[in-house]
Amino acid sequence: MACFLRRSVAAKLSRTLRQPEDAFISALSAVPVSKKQQSSDFRLSVNTLRLNGIIPASGDLQLETEALANELKQDSVVEEISAGHGVINFKVHRQLLVQKMLEPFEEGYDKFGLRSELLKSLKKGTTLVEFSSPNIAKKFHAGHLRSTIIGNFIANLKQCLGNSVIRMNYLGDWGMQFGLLGAGFNQFGCQEKLKENPLQHLFDVYVQVNREAENNEEIWTAARAFFQKLEQHEGPAMSLWKQFRDITVNEYKQVYQRLGIHFDVYSGESFHQEQAHEVVQRLQDQGLLKITEKGTSAVDLSPAGDMSSCCTVLRSDGTSLYITRDIAAAIDRKEQYHFDEMIYVTDKSQEHHFHQLFQVLPAMGYSWAGRCQHVPFGLVRGMNTRSGEVVFLEDVLDEARARMLQNMSQSKTTKEMDCPEDTAEKVGISALIVQDFRGPLESDYKFDWDRMLQARGDTGVFLQYTHARLCSLMRRNNGVAAGGFDPSLLLEERSIAILQHLLRYDEVLYQSAKDLQPKHLVHFLLRLCHLVASAHKELPVKGSPDEVAQARLRLFRGACSVLASGMRILGIIPVDKM
Ligand code: ARG
């Protein structure tokens, strides 16, 4: 196994430097495969050892590196040790590398890398991830799409690293917009249309009532009256609201299913309406509330206590705000789910909001607020379909599927399949995901259908294509007799390069777990696909002697398994044929 190799090198260091093995596990990294010929497999940063206090930080770094490299001797695992710039390089015996890396793939093994020493060092517990969180009757914008796929990635990652994960959708299902929607529905709504196409109809009503309200005071009066009825939980108003909410959740569930995403909890702002007022009361009791000149109530967050920075929790008319409900929701979630960490995924325009949330909670005595985190992401420009602006999540998915289907029908390599729509859907979605995950999450980017759907570029289509190609290779050769496995038949540069690359898988997951950025995994998988493409050309299975064919199939099976596992973490469902 990969971790056997890392552990063996760490053990060697541990014996020489007389420090526990663990001290070296994270200071060792697998060497990235580069175009230039690369022969060593692991690299130890001597500076990291100094920084971690494993060796004294005095004297010349380079001299010390060389001295240490000289002191370390080859053994049955390591065949070459050399000093580089502040690093020591280790080259594992080639045959052992092949054997240990490919051993796990004997029986449909899909946990490769996930049990590694490095990943064991990460804290485990209950992680609550709140993501997607659209607003009822409003547009599902690009920000919601990003939150949906990024949140799903984080949840998948946390889960595969051994945490128990709660996936929560926090709907915008309360506030004055429901006053308008309710009043609007009474005027322009239609139960028939609501049943037929709920999201569209609610959106239409909402747009219409907003337009009317621009110069019609009566609408506002009706809206305020309706919202008041809601706040007082009056029967008919509540049942209309509940109908809107239920219908919306049902519709969303179906679209999330197309993305392969589910939620454990559909929560929402409405759930915390009353608790929000209890929060205000508690803030008052704790002496944390100040009444401003405008008559609003706020928590002073300024270091000097001069209200130069503050968080408003109550309007002058006594109604609560978005932040008030978030304070209540956080406390409630902690009580209900006992999370060890909570992650909120929204666009970066809400950074200030969450910053305030994470200041008010500790002021109230909730030290666990330190284990809450906001993952912000940038804006997407130009997410349009052929027929115009995107209003619903469904529109983007339909367009991705349609475009992909068209590309598939024009490509000469497309295979016969039972349900091309289904494949087009999965591949189209992977294109959306990879386009979104390639850069740092905080960056803005321009949505580009043509670029994201390219079969040859660094796209989700390329990942799927490589996966399907590997599956087909295995299907075509499942007649090759299974027998013993001879590692000496996989010593070619192309196969070593793939194995060296796979050595990095756990480090990539480790890095992703640390900064919650999907780009590390995306680039790792794209690189894997390029390496597979070269190996595919130079290491044919067909026409090779049985033992060679067997060994090569095992290499490709390993690559395919890691590719599929990484794709699943990203939220991509791998296809077997395309
Ligand atoms: N519904 C909000 C919006 O669309 C996002 C909610 C984010 N989560 C939260 N706990 N505030 O902007």
Side-chain angles (χ1 to χ4, degrees):
M1 294 236 187
C3 61
F4 165 85
L5 298 175
R6 187 190 292 267
R7 211 169 339 105
S8 304
V9 179
K12 172 175 205 58
L13 287 158
S14 140
R15 284 190 302 272
T16 309
L17 292 168
R18 294 194 188 78
Q19 296 274 352
E21 237 173 82
D22 282 353
F24 303 100
I25 292 285
S26 63
L28 273 172
S29 52
V31 180
V33 179
S34 78
K35 295 233 168 59
K36 282 178 270 137
Q37 199 158 352
Q38 185 62 256
S39 59
S40 63
D41 305 303
F42 289 103
R43 175 187 283 169
L44 175 80
S45 154
V46 177
N47 204 32
T48 305
L49 292 186
R50 284 183 166 191
L51 291 173
N52 294 351
I54 311 287
I55 53 172
S58 56
D60 183 84
L61 180 68
Q62 196 53 31
L63 286 179
E64 187 165 1
T65 303
E66 279 159 26
L68 185 55
N70 276 331
E71 212 179 317
L72 293 159
K73 297 280 169 286
Q74 305 152 329
D75 58 22
S76 58
V77 174
V78 179
E79 74 176 20
E80 235 177 78
I81 298 168
S82 61
H85 274 298
V87 294
I88 300 178
N89 297 309
F90 299 86
K91 182 177 169 189
V92 171
H93 285 286
R94 301 288 86 168
Q95 209 157 307
L96 190 71
L97 175 72
V98 176
Q99 186 197 331
K100 289 294 170 191
M101 290 301 287
L102 292 179
E103 241 168 30
F105 296 112
E106 183 130 35
E107 277 312 318
Y109 186 74
D110 61 357
K111 295 277 177 292
F112 179 85
L114 300 178
R115 304 260 185 275
S116 91
E117 299 289 324
L118 187 64
L119 296 179
K120 270 189 212 146
S121 67
L122 292 168
K123 269 209 207 84
K124 311 230 176 338
T126 300
T127 306
L128 194 155
V129 189
E130 187 225 273
F131 61 107
S132 196
S133 308
N135 304 316
I136 292 178
K138 290 196 191 168
K139 215 175 105 170
F140 187 102
H141 52 69
H144 293 122
L145 173 61
R146 285 206 86 181
S147 171
T148 308
I149 58 180
I150 296 168
N152 183 50
F153 156 72
I154 294 175
N156 292 344
L157 177 69
K158 290 282 174 178
Q159 193 166 346
C160 86
L161 295 176
N163 298 274
S164 91
V165 174
I166 298 160
R167 296 157 188 260
M168 181 182 276
N169 199 327
Y170 181 69
L171 297 173
D173 61 358
W174 203 252
M176 227 355 237
Q177 86 224 42
F178 285 91
L180 276 166
L181 189 65
F185 196 81
N186 288 336
Q187 277 196 37
F188 322 111
C190 158
Q191 280 289 347
E192 288 299 297
K193 286 188 187 161
L194 186 62
K195 299 235 161 65
E196 232 164 73
N197 196 345
L199 297 189
Q200 182 70 52
H201 188 54
L202 284 182
F203 181 70
D204 290 344
V205 169
Y206 188 63
V207 171
Q208 195 173 355
V209 71
N210 270 288
R211 207 181 303 129
E212 290 286 316
E214 272 170 27
N215 34 35
N216 184 345
E217 250 319 297
E218 270 170 41
I219 300 259
W220 281 107
T221 317
R224 271 189 293 269
F226 191 91
F227 189 53
Q228 205 160 25
K229 285 184 193 151
L230 280 183
E231 295 249 63
Q232 281 149 15
H233 294 260
E234 258 181 46
M238 274 307 272
S239 67
L240 192 59
W241 169 84
K242 193 168 169 339
Q243 191 191 7
F244 294 162
R245 189 184 195 279
D246 289 349
I247 288 185
T248 304
V249 169
N250 270 335
E251 289 290 299
Y252 270 120
K253 274 188 184 161
Q254 290 172 33
V255 194
Y256 289 133
Q257 201 176 2
R258 288 176 64 180
L259 284 164
I261 292 178
H262 78 278
F263 288 91
D264 301 307
V265 191
Y266 280 87
S267 141
E269 293 182 45
S270 66
F271 287 57
H272 307 289
Q273 186 49 27
E274 266 139 50
Q275 291 165 349
H277 291 282
E278 292 165 26
V279 162
V280 173
Q281 187 58 51
R282 192 147 4 135
L283 284 165
Q284 170 89 53
D285 297 345
Q286 290 178 312
L288 292 166
L289 218 54
K290 289 190 185 154
I291 312 285
T292 68
E293 283 160 22
K294 288 183 228 143
T296 59
S297 309
V299 180
D300 188 1
L301 298 173
S302 66
D306 57 6
M307 294 286 271
S308 54
S309 130
C310 65
C311 170
T312 307
V313 292
L314 212 56
R315 293 200 187 84
S316 53
D317 65 0
T319 54
S320 66
L321 288 89
Y322 180 51
I323 183 84
T324 329
R325 295 191 280 275
D326 254 323
I327 301 169
I331 299 170
D332 186 57
R333 290 176 196 176
K334 180 68 188 169
E335 281 167 8
Q336 273 202 55
Y337 303 104
H338 310 285
F339 59 76
D340 296 293
E341 60 175 346
M342 171 153 67
I343 298 167
Y344 296 90
V345 188
T346 79
D347 70 69
K348 59 190 178 189
S349 73
Q350 301 204 25
E351 248 170 334
H352 179 66
H353 169 81
F354 286 103
H355 185 65
Q356 291 207 323
L357 176 63
F358 302 152
Q359 280 182 290
V360 174
L361 288 169
M364 296 177 79
Y366 298 115
S367 59
W368 47 260
R371 284 177 276 129
C372 297
Q373 187 185 352
H374 174 222
V375 175
F377 54 80
L379 306 175
V380 183
R381 290 181 305 270
M383 186 173 89
N384 292 321
T385 61
R386 286 199 176 109
S387 46
E389 201 200 14
V390 169
V391 179
F392 304 113
L393 173 55
E394 211 178 352
D395 301 339
V396 195
L397 302 189
D398 289 349
E399 180 94 358
R401 180 174 58 194
R403 286 185 186 248
M404 195 54 221
L405 205 54
Q406 193 182 2
N407 289 4
M408 280 162 51
S409 69
Q410 284 165 359
S411 156
K412 286 194 275 317
T413 59
T414 302
K415 307 277 177 300
E416 278 280 320
M417 52 192 118
D418 299 337
C419 185
E421 285 81 14
D422 186 50
T423 303
E425 167 123 324
K426 292 190 173 112
V427 179
I429 289 170
S430 30
L432 284 169
I433 293 179
V434 170
Q435 156 174 269
D436 196 275
F437 287 3
R438 286 182 49 175
L441 292 181
E442 314 78 80
S443 300
D444 302 345
Y445 73 84
K446 166 120 187 34
F447 198 92
D448 185 338
W449 286 111
D450 291 328
R451 219 181 76 166
M452 80 163 100
L453 289 167
Q454 275 167 13
R456 301 260 166 260
D458 278 351
T459 61
V461 183
F462 179 48
L463 293 184
Q464 290 283 22
Y465 171 74
T466 309
H467 183 264
R469 203 170 167 205
L470 287 168
C471 290
S472 126
L473 179 73
M474 261 124 34
R475 270 195 307 270
R476 275 184 283 123
N477 292 288
N478 67 1
V480 175
F485 161 54
D486 182 355
S488 72
L489 298 173
L490 285 176
L491 300 178
E492 293 92 348
E493 199 188 317
R494 293 297 179 200
S495 92
I496 295 290
I498 290 183
L499 299 176
Q500 286 181 318
H501 188 64
L502 296 185
L503 264 184
R504 286 188 56 224
Y505 188 49
D506 63 335
E507 288 176 25
V508 168
L509 295 178
Y510 183 82
Q511 180 68 33
S512 312
K514 287 277 171 196
D515 64 10
L516 302 181
Q517 294 279 342
K519 63 175 183 190
H520 314 294
L521 185 52
V522 167
H523 293 291
F524 172 85
L525 295 178
L526 288 169
R527 185 93 184 91
L528 177 60
C529 290
H530 285 293
L531 293 169
V532 165
S534 321
H536 205 269
K537 262 190 242 121
E538 290 182 29
L539 307 175
V541 172
K542 202 172 142 206
S544 302
D546 261 10
E547 316 80 77
V548 176
Q550 251 168 43
R552 289 181 180 171
L553 278 174
R554 188 186 278 252
L555 171 73
F556 289 121
R557 198 183 312 133
C560 184
S561 155
V562 176
L563 177 58
S565 133
M567 286 166 80
R568 287 210 175 83
I569 296 174
L570 293 177
I572 297 174
I573 306 166
V575 301
D576 299 351
K577 217 185 214 185
M578 70 179 270

